Amino acid sequence: MEQMDIEQEPSRIADVTVFRLKGPFTLSTMFDFQGALRDTALKGTIIDLTGVPYMDSAGLGVLLGQFAHAQRHGNKFGLVGITPRVLTIFEITHTDQILPIFATQADAENSF
């Protein structure tokens, strides 16, 4: 059975939490992460996908949902560390033109 590990830590930017995902981001692994994103104390988010070897449409849906939530509430949001294989799903769906994607965590923090 697939598993995705989730590490959570504060960013150097106030009220921003960094999530580091490790493992496949799929329908069978997304629920714990989706639950973590529903924390009412959570404000801005940086999601580090460096450790994600592949993602399906369910994973993409979680990211789009969090991005929409951030926009509605005026919170910061960024994706970092996207591997070429994961980038392909963003390019195919043209969400790479919508989602704020940065090369590094520092780049995302500097944009805030």
Side-chain angles (χ1 to χ4, degrees):
M1 184 170 155
E2 295 179 324
Q3 181 178 336
M4 181 173 69
D5 295 323
I6 305 162
E7 296 175 7
Q8 186 174 338
E9 66 185 48
S11 166
R12 68 177 174 87
I13 305 296
D15 293 327
V16 175
T17 301
V18 179
F19 290 94
R20 295 190 200 293
L21 308 182
K22 295 182 182 170
F25 192 3
T26 64
L27 179 61
S28 63
T29 65
M30 69 178 215
F31 295 104
D32 287 341
F33 180 54
Q34 194 173 38
L37 292 174
R38 290 189 176 137
D39 180 351
T40 56
L42 188 65
K43 303 265 189 242
T45 53
I46 294 174
I47 302 171
D48 185 341
L49 300 171
T50 304
V52 175
Y54 59 92
M55 180 175 68
D56 68 9
S57 60
L60 178 61
V62 171
L63 298 178
L64 288 169
Q66 183 63 20
F67 175 60
H69 175 80
Q71 284 195 309
R72 281 192 305 273
H73 293 89
N75 294 334
K76 296 168 177 56
F77 178 88
L79 300 174
V80 302
I82 297 173
T83 62
R85 185 171 179 187
V86 172
L87 182 59
T88 300
I89 194 168
F90 292 122
E91 292 172 342
I92 289 170
T93 59
H94 300 286
T95 52
D96 61 320
Q97 299 170 21
I98 299 167
L99 295 168
I101 297 172
F102 304 93
T104 67
Q105 179 179 331
D107 291 341
E109 290 169 337
N110 290 338
S111 79
F112 297 161

